[in-house]
């Protein structure tokens, strides 16, 4: 069966994952990922359409959709989740969410990461990081959080967030893991992580976004009296 994975927590990406009905023997069939962190709405739908067409698939061929729910910026995250919800409704297929940082954790473990706990982190802007703490095998221990780099645990830090603030992390006793200092969550890794959880009998969360911050947009208050 085919699982469509989508993530827009940092970059826009999508992937088609082929696996058995038991979610075993998963492999990436096709994927795309941009480098731009600001063009999610423009590239996501055409990219998914191209992926499906290139594999000579149609909507009914997709058995399940998994979307990254962040943490991430409001606009980018909404683009991916809204697209996933629309496709799931149009194709009448199950829809699940998964924390986007799980994609980076999957990459770390697959690359033979540390034999102890580690942290994955992405850029939260405002001189802060989105991060979560994982066991050596990739199990989530804590998070997600948003905080200044100096507040991260004294552990190896993987992901583009680490590459932005190596000195601050070092001052906190943490360290930016080499080779991962520009890594972003991708739909391909998110899909593989999701399928592995399903194969283990674990339930995936819903698609409620993990913004971790209040929106900058505010509802206007009542007008002040002129007199």
């Amino acid at each position: 069966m085919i699982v469509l994975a989508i993530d827009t927590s940092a970059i826009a990406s999508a992937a088609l994952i082929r696996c058995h009905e038991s979610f075993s023997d998963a492999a990436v069939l096709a994927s795309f990922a941009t480098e731009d962190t600001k063009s999610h709405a423009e590239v996501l739908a055409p990219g998914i359409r191209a992926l499906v067409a290139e594999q000579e698939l149609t909507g009914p061929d997709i058995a399940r959709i998994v979307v990254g729910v962040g943490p991430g910026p409001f606009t980018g995250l909404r683009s991916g989740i809204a697209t996933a919800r629309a496709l799931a409704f149009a194709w009448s297929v199950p829809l699940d969410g998964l924390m986007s940082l799980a994609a980076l954790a999957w990459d770390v473990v697959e690359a033979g990461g540390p034999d102890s706990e580690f942290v994955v982190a992405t850029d939260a802007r405002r001189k802060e990081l989105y991060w979560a703490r994982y066991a050596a095998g990739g199990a989530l221990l804590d998070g997600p959080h948003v905080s200044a780099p100096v507040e991260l645990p004294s552990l190896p830090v993987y992901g583009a967030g680490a590459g932005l603030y190596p000195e601050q992390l070092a001052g906190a006793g943490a360290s930016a893991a080499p080779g991962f200092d520009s890594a972003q969550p991708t739909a391909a890794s998110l899909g593989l992580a999701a399928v592995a959880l399903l194969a283990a009998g674990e339930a995936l969360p819903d698609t409620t976004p993990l913004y971790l911050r209040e929106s900058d947009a505010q509802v206007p208050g009542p007008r002040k009296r002129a007199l």
Side-chain angles (χ1 to χ4, degrees):
M1 71 179 191
I2 305 297
V3 175
L4 170 64
I6 299 170
D7 190 83
T8 54
S9 62
I11 58 175
S13 61
L16 296 171
I17 311 295
R18 184 188 294 279
C19 58
H20 294 305
E21 294 297 325
S22 60
F23 300 106
S24 60
D25 296 328
V28 177
L29 189 61
S31 67
F32 86 89
T34 68
E35 295 183 3
D36 187 2
T37 59
K38 297 181 180 179
S39 61
H40 305 81
E42 293 86 348
V43 302
L44 185 60
I48 293 172
R49 187 184 305 117
L51 276 184
V52 173
E54 286 166 7
Q55 298 301 314
E56 299 182 345
L57 300 171
T58 62
D61 295 317
I62 306 300
R64 196 181 202 102
I65 299 175
V66 178
V67 63
V69 296
F74 284 83
T75 302
L77 208 53
R78 279 197 298 262
S79 296
I81 294 173
T83 299
R85 288 174 177 174
L87 292 176
F89 176 79
W91 295 340
S92 298
V93 298
L95 172 64
D96 298 298
L98 184 62
M99 183 170 67
S100 301
L101 297 176
L104 278 174
W106 173 269
D107 289 334
V108 172
V109 173
E110 287 298 295
D115 55 6
S116 60
E117 295 178 10
F118 64 92
V119 169
V120 297
T122 58
D123 183 16
R125 302 171 188 174
R126 305 182 189 176
K127 299 181 180 180
E128 292 183 323
L129 297 175
Y130 295 123
W131 62 276
R133 182 173 184 163
Y134 288 86
L140 177 66
L141 298 176
D142 184 34
H145 303 284
V146 58
S147 68
V150 295
E151 296 178 31
L152 268 65
S154 301
L155 294 169
V157 184
Y158 294 76
L164 292 172
Y165 304 104
E167 287 135 0
Q168 291 93 322
L169 291 175
S175 59
F180 273 83
D181 53 3
S182 63
Q184 301 279 22
T186 65
S189 296
L190 184 88
L192 292 172
V195 169
L197 290 171
L198 291 169
E202 297 189 34
L204 298 181
D206 62 24
T207 60
T208 302
L210 297 170
Y211 292 131
L212 302 191
R213 287 190 183 124
E214 294 295 328
S215 173
D216 290 333
Q218 299 294 326
V219 177
R223 289 188 178 185
K224 293 182 180 179
R225 295 176 61 88
L227 296 176

